[in-house]
Amino acid sequence: MDENVKRAIERWPDVPAAFGWLRLDRRGKWYLIDRNAPGFTEAEHGQGSLISSEPIIEFISRNYLHDDKGRWFWQNGPQKAYADLDLAPLILRVVSGARGQALVTHTGYPVEHVEAAFVSESGELFVQTDLGPGAIHGLDLSALELTEDHLTLDGRELALQTLDGPPGPALGFVTTPR
């Protein structure tokens, strides 16, 4: 977490959290949902506006955390802005490295260890990592050594567990934290 964010929390410790205006899509993109903007309607603007400013995306990435209830948030100065998650709190990309394939979060952090792998009823691939639970980006599934019952990643073979229902409860995260 940024030092200026830590100082802001110390200076203003009781700022209420914000819900329902930050969204992470299944491709790892951030959206602002400004329900108070003139002319906003859920039907027309429900997906929100893509956040495309690199400095803002980097700021969110450095200050993206979770609480003990499995709710993920952006610590925006003294205020926690909880994220609505389309799929998972981390969207993981597959990259090639010196040791073979590796995973990197949508926030730019390398995954050091994958603890378990899961497949949903609709075919999404989820992993429990040292950085938290995540979903493999849909475009990267073909880059993995994946069979019906296991995932091979970084030379390790992981049994592929089937999720019965939504991934959040099984992996310990909340998709809509309200």
Side-chain angles (χ1 to χ4, degrees):
M1 185 183 315
D2 290 356
E3 285 303 317
N4 60 334
V5 171
K6 291 177 185 176
R7 286 191 300 274
I9 294 169
E10 289 174 10
R11 188 168 179 188
W12 299 287
D14 298 321
V15 175
F19 294 89
W21 68 267
L22 182 65
R23 180 178 145 255
L24 179 67
D25 78 359
R26 61 182 37 247
R27 303 246 185 223
K29 303 287 185 191
W30 293 108
Y31 289 81
L32 178 64
I33 305 171
D34 191 0
R35 289 181 172 83
N36 296 323
F40 179 90
T41 64
E42 287 286 335
E44 196 175 332
H45 304 98
Q47 298 298 312
S49 300
L50 177 67
I51 298 174
S52 58
S53 167
E54 283 304 316
I56 292 174
I57 293 168
E58 290 169 5
F59 182 66
I60 293 171
S61 297
R62 289 191 312 270
N63 298 287
Y64 183 52
L65 308 162
H66 62 88
D67 64 17
D68 58 356
K69 296 178 182 174
R71 302 178 304 176
W72 286 72
F73 61 90
W74 164 31
Q75 188 69 52
N76 183 19
Q79 184 177 50
K80 290 179 180 170
Y82 283 92
D84 289 352
L85 308 173
D86 284 4
L87 189 59
L90 299 173
I91 304 301
L92 305 163
R93 299 302 309 251
V94 178
V95 295
S96 295
R99 299 182 339 201
Q101 291 177 318
L103 300 174
V104 175
T105 67
H106 73 281
T107 56
Y109 295 99
V111 170
E112 296 295 325
H113 180 71
V114 176
E115 299 162 14
F118 306 86
V119 65
S120 70
E121 293 170 341
S122 56
E124 290 108 349
L125 181 61
F126 296 88
V127 290
Q128 191 64 262
T129 76
D130 57 308
L131 300 176
I136 305 297
H137 193 290
L139 294 176
D140 290 354
L141 291 173
S142 63
L144 293 171
E145 289 183 48
L146 187 61
T147 67
E148 201 171 289
D149 59 357
H150 75 271
L151 165 68
T152 303
L153 186 63
D154 198 21
R156 282 186 57 223
E157 194 169 296
L158 298 162
L160 201 52
Q161 302 170 54
T162 302
L163 292 171
D164 297 325
L171 297 175
F173 67 89
V174 176
T175 54
T176 306
R178 297 172 211 167

